[in-house]
Amino acid sequence: QASRLVALPYSSFDDDDDGDAAEQDPEVWNPDPTKPSPFSHCVRYLAFLWNLLFLLLGLLTLAVGVWGLLAKSPPPGEERGVPLGSDPMLFFVLVGLGASAVSLAGCLGAVRASPCLLRFFLGAMLTFGGLEVLGGLLLLLARRRLQDALQDLLLLCLLRYQEDPDLQFLVDEVQRSLQCCGLESYRDWESNPYFNCSAPGAQACGVPASCCRDPLENGSVPNVQCGFGGLGLGPAAAGAVLHTGGCGAALTAWLRGQAGAIAAGATALVLVEAVGALLALRVLRDV
């Protein structure tokens, strides 16, 4: 009887039967993907809220920068007093745009579980973190050059004191808080074309009111003319009414005293970015 067994020929109906079985029971071939755990949902929502907070901060920074640029925009037909490329408010605009774009990618990537947006967010966080660490190392290695650059920046602020309201506010705050005047001494204001003794106007041969020892002069409103004629006084007479010491050395000493706080702030910023990157990495792994 074994010799009478004949092998049946191959038939395509066998494949059809297998296909029919797969169609009748699709779970055999296409099982449902693993559902995210409650912990994964919690991480996703936390990543969304984390990036939403920084999105709002970025939009606020952007709004401040745009407001500053619009407030200093000249009337139609007049030239802009400060070039747009050197306007300090442009820094706020660029920082706000960058922070908003990256945070928005993180928000949408966490909500929609988009691998593309999450990878973009992670790449941006790694880039920002690397640049911050590299900048910190350069500051430590080139402290002398940093001091020289700071001196040049202060001198530029003195020269453009009346031209840019932002620089004027910055110089006044530095001189008022550190009780100093000029770069090396109050005589540095002679390099300003408006305070030079040969310049026309009431400010000639004077210094800003932020150099005065007592700008209120026993009143309730600061006297903006308290520094008028200060450059025409001798060292002893000027020292009685003005802060004659320069701001270069005072600012350098202040920065050295705040080195610990600056390092702590930079470390906290890197840690915040690292937490956001870890949350995005966990969401990306669950996608």
Side-chain angles (χ1 to χ4, degrees), residues 130-212:
L131 291 177
E132 290 165 3
V133 173
L134 180 61
L137 293 177
L138 290 178
L139 290 179
L140 293 176
L141 297 176
R143 287 178 294 181
R144 182 59 184 175
R145 293 184 179 181
L146 178 62
Q147 294 180 3
D148 295 339
L150 186 60
Q151 299 279 346
D152 296 339
L153 179 60
L154 286 176
L155 181 59
L156 179 62
C157 292
L158 296 182
L159 294 176
R160 296 176 51 186
Y161 179 78
Q162 276 89 354
E163 299 176 5
D164 192 336
D166 297 323
L167 293 181
Q168 183 176 349
F169 173 79
L170 179 62
V171 171
D172 286 339
E173 287 298 316
V174 170
Q175 292 189 149
R176 189 178 296 111
S177 59
L178 298 181
Q179 298 182 353
C180 57
C181 186
L183 180 60
E184 296 181 357
S185 71
Y186 72 105
R187 288 290 181 183
D188 293 328
W189 283 104
E190 291 182 355
S191 59
N192 186 283
Y194 295 93
F195 292 107
N196 189 280
C197 291
S198 60
Q203 293 180 334
C205 216
V207 294
S210 55
C211 291
C212 297

Side-chain angles (χ1 to χ4, degrees), residues 22-240:
E23 292 178 357
Q24 294 174 1
D25 193 7
E27 295 183 357
V28 176
W29 304 98
N30 300 311
D32 293 335
T34 305
K35 295 182 179 180
S37 63
F39 178 75
S40 298
H41 282 293
C42 181
V43 171
R44 182 176 300 181
Y45 293 144
L46 184 59
F48 169 76
L49 294 176
W50 190 268
N51 287 283
L52 180 61
L53 174 61
F54 287 95
L55 174 61
L56 296 177
L57 293 177
L59 292 176
L60 179 61
T61 305
L62 177 61
V64 170
V66 172
W67 172 80
L69 292 178
L70 294 178
K72 294 188 295 184
S73 59
E78 297 184 7
E79 296 183 359
R80 187 182 180 89
V82 180
L84 182 61
S86 60
D87 197 315
M89 285 298 171
L90 186 61
F91 173 76
F92 289 90
V93 173
L94 296 178
V95 171
L97 281 176
S100 300
V102 174
S103 300
L104 181 61
C107 286
L108 296 179
V111 171
R112 301 180 60 86
S114 173
C116 180
L117 292 176
L118 290 174
R119 291 191 182 98
F120 170 77
F121 176 78
L122 286 173
M125 287 293 98
L126 291 176
T127 302
F128 290 158
L131 291 177
E132 290 165 3
V133 173
L134 180 61
L137 293 177
L138 290 178
L139 290 179
L140 293 176
L141 297 176
R143 287 178 294 181
R144 182 59 184 175
R145 293 184 179 181
L146 178 62
Q147 294 180 3
D148 295 339
L150 186 60
Q151 299 279 346
D152 296 339
L153 179 60
L154 286 176
L155 181 59
L156 179 62
C157 292
L158 296 182
L159 294 176
R160 296 176 51 186
Y161 179 78
Q162 276 89 354
E163 299 176 5
D164 192 336
D166 297 323
L167 293 181
Q168 183 176 349
F169 173 79
L170 179 62
V171 171
D172 286 339
E173 287 298 316
V174 170
Q175 292 189 149
R176 189 178 296 111
S177 59
L178 298 181
Q179 298 182 353
C180 57
C181 186
L183 180 60
E184 296 181 357
S185 71
Y186 72 105
R187 288 290 181 183
D188 293 328
W189 283 104
E190 291 182 355
S191 59
N192 186 283
Y194 295 93
F195 292 107
N196 189 280
C197 291
S198 60
Q203 293 180 334
C205 216
V207 294
S210 55
C211 291
C212 297
R213 291 184 176 274
D214 184 18
L216 296 179
E217 294 184 348
N218 299 324
S220 58
V221 179
N223 181 14
V224 296
Q225 299 180 358
C226 64
F228 284 13
L231 294 178
L233 301 176

